Amino acid sequence: MSIPVWMDMDTGEDDAIAIMTAFRLPELNVVGMSAVAGNAELDHTFRNTRNVLSLIGREDVKVYPGASQPLRQKLTTAANVHGKSGLASAVLAESKAPVETEKAWDALYRTAKEYQGELNLILTGPETNAAIAFFKYPDLKNYLKRILIMGGAAVGGNVIPAAEFNIWADPEAADAVFCTGVEIVMCGLDVTSRAGLTREEVAELDAYQNPACRLFQTCTELARKLYSEHHNETLLIHDACPVIYAAHPEYFTGTRAGVVIETRGTYTRGKTVTDLYTDTSYPLQQTIVVTDADRKAVADTIRIALETY
Ligand code: RIB
Ligand code: CA
């Protein structure tokens, strides 16, 4: 039986690749999607999500608009990685799907109730929409199977040394989500930094001339520069990890732990503080902290997905 998932995204380059991967995983049934401000402003991330679905022939999947600002922080986008549009130099045809106006949090709640507790929520951007949904509908936690995120890091950070972008961008939202008690699968930088595409795999995808691979090539052009400056031998596709985990948890290694979110630190705002590496355990052990992956299995899943459109 396929796994019902809702994907809430700040569609930038790796979100776009995660979308194209998700729709090539027969184990998953994407029943709804929503957009949030993060990598780019909401109008870009909403449009990008719709247009990537259109590119892969899935205008039947509804996309709902969410928050244009974090709960308390001012919006900081990641144009250095994704470009102002969110998809670098990629130019996509405009989706012809009707433009949904129902808010992300309302649509998510309605759908979660429809799936009677079986819905898996995948978050690959700031967690603003999910937080608003939990605030507005306190019983939402009873209707979600689990939450799989790209976000956080047991060790390290990217946007600042202590924190990863999705959590740092809206730490209050992440705090609200991690306090719900819903089981969380945290695909943070610990695993995403170990699950990238090699130069050879990137070159193979670049050589394909189908629309999905052409999008891969154009939307990652800034990310490639960033990672090469950081001497990463691989191209990290962060957001593909929670998507692939939902279908193939066997590709990953994780440990149950407690995770709390720092919201006030001068140098540590947005840090996912975990009791994974300490003698002290937090009372709420709500998270599977994913720490490693079978890199080739993850890379092959992405590569085969994009090459077969
Ligand atoms: O830190 C990486 C995350 O931030 C990814 O989700 C990327 O799309 C950006 O949102
Ligand atoms: Ca993202």
Side-chain angles (χ1 to χ4, degrees), residues 10 14-15 39 124-125 166 239:
D10 63 336
D14 56 332
D15 307 74
N39 286 325
T124 67
N166 287 337
D239 293 340

Side-chain angles (χ1 to χ4, degrees), residues 39-59:
N39 286 325
E41 283 81 6
L42 177 65
D43 61 336
H44 288 303
T45 62
F46 181 53
R47 180 165 165 251
N48 293 341
T49 308
R50 286 169 42 86
N51 291 350
V52 172
L53 285 172
S54 181
L55 180 120
I56 60 173
R58 292 308 306 266
E59 287 189 358

Side-chain angles (χ1 to χ4, degrees), residues 13-14 80-83 88 218-229 232 234-237:
E13 50 96 11
D14 56 332
N80 61 318
V81 183
H82 304 266
T218 49
C219 77
T220 60
E221 69 179 16
L222 294 174
R224 296 180 193 209
K225 288 197 190 95
L226 176 88
Y227 293 135
S228 59
E229 281 162 17
N232 270 320
T234 59
L235 177 62
L236 307 185
I237 316 292

Side-chain angles (χ1 to χ4, degrees), residues 44 105 107 119 123 225:
H44 288 303
W105 38 87
L119 188 65
L123 306 175
K225 288 197 190 95

Side-chain angles (χ1 to χ4, degrees), residues 108-127:
L108 168 60
Y109 180 64
R110 172 172 51 78
T111 306
K113 287 179 68 174
E114 188 184 318
Y115 280 83
Q116 298 178 334
E118 290 307 309
L119 188 65
N120 291 255
L121 176 59
I122 297 178
L123 306 175
T124 67
E127 303 181 2

